[in-house]
Amino acid sequence: MGNRISKVYTRTGDDGTTGISGDIRLAKDNPLIEAIGEVDELNSDIGVVVAFCDDEEVNQQLQGIQHDLFNLGGMLSYPQFDGFTAQRVDALEALIDLYNEELAPLKEFILPGGTQGAAHAQKTRAVCRRVERRLVTLNHFYQAEPAQFESASSEQLVGASKYVNRLSDLLFTIGRLLNKRANSDEIMWSSHRTK
């Protein structure tokens, strides 16, 4: 194994910058660092879903996705890193289709909630949508202001955005699935049309 983390704190970020590959330091509010941080938050939130979910099969899938998200963060900070592949989108779509077979078709919007695992899945879905927005912003930033360093290509960012978009759909489906498997009723949105 390469470099090991021997010390948690380095004090190098005390000036408001952080390092990425190539000995490059960026402001902590740089759009690239924002996107990396959002991916990290999403990964952490998926860990919370796993902690509150009793469904081993779902947890196994989610932990595989956590590895994908580490790879995505690696690609953002080191574009030559090829551990993240956008082909994982197909795998997410297949999983969504598989889980949807267990669910009744939706006729109304549902409120996030239900079991603890389902509620955390829906909360994580919202974080996932924020990650997608950050990736789109990052792509626009690079198109308007070419970076002074090598960064993820527009093609890589579009592929990552597609993956995260499908992941949000999967998290929504998982929230519904966990409620169904726990015999917890979904709460339909009581809109002006249904009153």
Side-chain angles (χ1 to χ4, degrees):
M1 187 162 149
N3 295 334
R4 291 190 181 268
I5 299 171
S6 58
K7 206 172 186 183
V8 174
Y9 64 90
T10 62
R11 298 186 179 126
T12 57
D14 292 349
D15 65 351
T17 65
T18 192
I20 62 169
S21 65
D23 293 325
I24 296 165
R25 297 206 63 81
L26 297 173
K28 290 187 177 184
D29 62 352
N30 179 285
L32 175 60
I33 304 307
E34 290 278 359
I36 292 169
E38 298 284 0
V39 171
D40 184 34
E41 181 180 353
L42 174 59
N43 204 339
S44 298
D45 277 347
I46 289 176
V48 174
V49 177
V50 171
F52 282 95
C53 176
D54 294 328
D55 191 307
E56 287 303 317
E57 187 262 332
V58 169
N59 283 346
Q60 185 177 6
Q61 295 293 343
L62 290 174
Q63 287 171 334
I65 288 164
Q66 286 185 289
H67 288 281
D68 286 347
L69 292 174
F70 256 97
N71 289 336
L72 174 53
M75 181 199 77
L76 290 172
S77 60
Y78 186 67
Q80 298 82 2
F81 178 75
D82 62 358
F84 176 76
T85 59
Q87 286 80 11
R88 292 287 294 139
V89 171
D90 295 337
L92 294 182
E93 289 178 354
L95 201 52
I96 292 166
D97 292 342
L98 177 69
Y99 288 162
N100 259 331
E101 289 176 9
E102 288 188 46
L103 301 171
L106 274 178
K107 296 181 181 175
E108 293 289 339
F109 289 105
I110 59 169
L111 299 184
T115 66
Q116 286 186 330
H120 282 295
Q122 295 295 356
K123 184 339 186 140
T124 303
R125 172 196 53 79
V127 172
C128 195
R129 290 290 188 193
R130 182 168 13 108
V131 172
E132 182 183 9
R133 293 191 299 271
R134 287 287 189 267
L135 291 171
V136 169
T137 298
L138 181 61
N139 197 14
H140 290 161
F141 175 76
Y142 283 152
Q143 288 174 357
E145 306 248 346
Q148 300 299 314
F149 55 90
E150 190 169 355
S151 60
S153 69
S154 182
E155 182 179 327
Q156 286 175 308
L157 290 172
V158 168
S161 296
K162 286 180 184 176
Y163 177 87
V164 172
N165 181 283
R166 293 313 179 285
L167 178 55
S168 67
D169 295 335
L170 176 61
L171 289 164
F172 174 78
T173 305
I174 285 174
R176 295 191 66 213
L177 182 76
L178 294 177
N179 278 335
K180 172 147 189 328
R181 289 182 177 177
N183 295 314
S184 177
D185 291 334
E186 294 179 317
I187 301 172
M188 300 299 169
W189 173 40
S190 180
S191 71
H192 68 282
R193 295 180 295 109
T194 58
K195 289 181 182 175

